[in-house]
Amino acid sequence: MLLEICLRKNLNSLLTKIIINTNFKKKLNIVKKIIPIILITLYLSSCGNSKPVKDETLTSFMLGGIYFINGYGGIESTNGMMIDAGYTSDADLISGYKQIFEFPFERTEKSGSKRVLKEWWDITDKTSLLEEIENLKTREYAHKAWDYARIVNNACIAYSAEYLSKDEVKKITNETLVLARKDFENWNDYYTNFDLGRTDWNPEDEQGESFESIAKNITSYPNSIYTILPLK
């Protein structure tokens, strides 16, 4: 039985609160059986020659991954999902993170997603969404990682709100990845900059400590996808 993931939006922090109704391990084991084609596309080690592992789609969603990790309960909870599933190899971890990072907001949460976009960013339809995304892409700002992460997060929420299709979301995340790679050398630089931007946005935010902790440890915790797929 495929795991059902229900999403609840926390309007105070614009984070995903994800309730997992059955054992996460069951979902990842099922996914493991249906992703051989995905894994073929990865650049894995062969014939004794090490090649970098690569998944451009997942890497693009990782730009907003700090929101998703926090929504799953933080680093410890996210890592626990992978441990419970017995995922330790790079290929297994990539398949696991694809399930929880790519399109984490379900369309069953359409009304809640629309409410979040309207109350936090004054986004009420596809037109206003695309205008906001373009503004975040092009505005001059010292902490662009904060802008890029919001683009990815909002695009994912917009899919749930039925403002964007999956192909449209992927186009946006891939375009944002190109921009992020021009501005940042690695994930540490990116998330340090993100945290500065979020603090600049609201230094009194009640979720500030949580985001700061994740930003500092996102590239170093066991089974972190950020140690497997580099920004560049």
Side-chain angles (χ1 to χ4, degrees), residues 21 33 72 75 141 150 183 198 207:
N21 294 327
K33 295 177 181 178
Y72 282 110
I75 285 176
Y141 184 54
R150 282 190 293 155
D183 291 340
R198 183 173 175 84
Q207 290 289 326

Side-chain angles (χ1 to χ4, degrees), residues 28 69 80 83 104 124 131 146 149 158 163 168 178 190 207-208:
L28 293 185
I69 289 174
I83 293 173
T124 57
E131 288 175 351
W146 164 239
Y163 294 155
E168 288 173 320
V178 172
Y190 178 84
Q207 290 289 326

